[in-house]
Amino acid sequence: MSLHLVIGNKNYSSWSFRPWIAMTVAGIPFEETVVSLGDPDFKATVSAHSGTGKVPVLIDGDVRVWESLAIIEYVADQHPEAGLWPADRVARAHARAIATEMHAGFAALRKALPMNFWRPPKRPVLADDVMRDIARIEAIWRDCRKRFGAGGPFLLGTFGAADAMYAPVVSRFFTYAIEVGPDAKAYMQAVAALPAWTAWRDAALREPWVLPQDEPDWPEVPRLPA
């Protein structure tokens, strides 16, 4: 097994979740190392593999790939049989566009609704910019399902890179009890039904590390049972 993925906390690290679920659903074998984002030696540990000192990092022999989307692109190139990007040219271009939009955008949502798997679902008061992000994401999902979703329950039919990029948003929508329409709800349920999702969630619920900056109810830390 040559691929080794260095990731952060499964409860909090949305960027780590993306390549992990992409590779796991695609059946691409890899080893993983979890380094808590709150570890005093985190920067030094991760900097040994990436100049950014951030997770995730994919190690493949002498190759180091950082940034979630770049990792997904790398393994998609290595494993074209996994079908992480659609074969159809138009669908593939659309998948890359929405994946890149997720990578670069939705700052208001990220800040207000940090990924937190163990928090019991509860809706907070949402600012207008967060609501605009939510509306845009739901529009993306609805459009994808309408135009490209005939082959299965995911954004472009079968699970792929675009779904991996939006998986942390699915988690956030569950955690913060975000109200969505029936199409988005069905999509979220399909993602949450994946065995890979269950494996990540169960590991997140068992983690001991608490990061106050990612606990929206701090100093309280409500947790679902592991």
Side-chain angles (χ1 to χ4, degrees), residues 107-214:
L109 183 145
R110 297 178 197 276
K111 182 177 180 180
L113 308 177
M115 192 175 84
N116 189 313
F117 266 87
W118 66 39
R119 181 182 186 267
K122 182 181 178 183
R123 183 182 173 92
V125 176
L126 300 174
D128 289 346
D129 55 353
V130 179
M131 291 299 297
R132 286 192 292 271
D133 279 356
I134 291 170
R136 172 57 186 158
I137 289 168
E138 188 170 3
I140 289 170
W141 291 356
R142 186 170 55 248
D143 180 58
C144 280
R145 293 291 305 137
K146 181 179 180 180
R147 294 174 59 192
F148 304 107
F154 301 105
L155 291 179
L156 292 100
T158 59
F159 186 91
D163 300 290
M165 291 301 294
Y166 282 87
V169 174
V170 173
S171 169
R172 286 173 162 102
F173 281 12
F174 281 126
T175 297
Y176 300 100
I178 303 301
E179 297 175 4
V180 295
D183 293 339
K185 187 176 295 185
Y187 170 64
M188 290 169 58
Q189 290 169 344
V191 174
L194 290 165
W197 174 282
T198 301
W200 178 280
R201 180 204 63 201
D202 290 352
L205 296 183
R206 294 193 298 267
E207 286 184 335
W209 309 293
V210 175
L211 302 184
Q213 67 270 23
D214 289 321

Side-chain angles (χ1 to χ4, degrees), residues 81-99:
E81 76 285 353
L84 285 170
W85 296 110
D88 176 75
R89 175 180 58 85
V90 174
R92 186 168 63 251
H94 192 84
R96 283 200 161 104
I98 64 169

Side-chain angles (χ1 to χ4, degrees), residues 7 35-36 40 42 52-53 73 78 97 103 129 132 152 166-167 208 212 218 224:
I7 59 177
V35 184
S36 172
F42 174 86
T52 67
E73 289 279 14
Q78 282 193 319
H103 189 273
D129 55 353
R132 286 192 292 271
Y166 282 87
W218 185 260
L224 294 168

